Amino acid sequence: MMWQDLVFLAGSVFSLFVLVPTLRDSMANVPLGTTLPSATIGIVYGTTFFTLGMHFSAAGSLLTGVMWSLVAFLRSPHPYNDRTATETTSAPRSAPQNAD
C-alpha cells in the first residue's frame, strides 16, 4: 500500500464529514452549478484512483461523489425537489387586515 493512498483517503473522509451538515440542514440551498461538477469530479477521481490500484482513495472519492450527488438531489433547486418547487411557485401571502 502506498502512503499517498491513505492521504487521499483522509482528504475524502474529511470532505464527507464537512458535507454531512449540508445534507442534514433542510433549509440548505446549494446551486446545481456547484454540486454537479463536484459530484462528477469525485466519480472521475474515484475511477482514476481505482485504475491506478489506489483502492482506498477510489472508495473515498467515489463516496464523496455520491455525497455530492445527494446534496444535488436533496439541497439544490430543481423541478424534482418538492421543497424548492413549492417555495418558488406559491403565491405571496397578503398581510392580515385589521377589522376596524
Side-chain angles (χ1 to χ4, degrees):
M1 174 190 334
M2 297 184 290
W3 65 269
Q4 294 91 338
D5 198 11
L6 295 176
V7 171
F8 285 122
L9 174 63
S12 295
V13 169
F14 176 74
S15 295
L16 292 171
F17 281 115
V18 170
L19 287 172
V20 167
T22 303
L23 276 178
R24 295 187 64 182
D25 182 5
S26 63
M27 298 302 292
N29 191 5
V30 184
L32 284 174
T34 300
T35 57
L36 293 181
S38 298
T40 302
I41 288 169
I43 293 168
V44 168
Y45 280 8
T47 305
T48 304
F49 285 136
F50 185 76
T51 63
L52 291 172
M54 300 173 73
H55 298 139
F56 292 117
S57 299
S61 292
L62 288 171
L63 286 174
T64 301
V66 168
M67 182 74 89
W68 273 111
S69 299
L70 288 171
V71 171
F73 184 73
L74 297 173
R75 303 294 178 237
S76 295
H78 55 78
Y80 303 113
N81 189 340
D82 291 335
R83 180 181 60 84
T84 56
T86 56
E87 288 175 0
T88 57
T89 59
S90 62
R93 297 180 184 173
S94 60
Q97 297 179 1
N98 294 334
D100 290 306

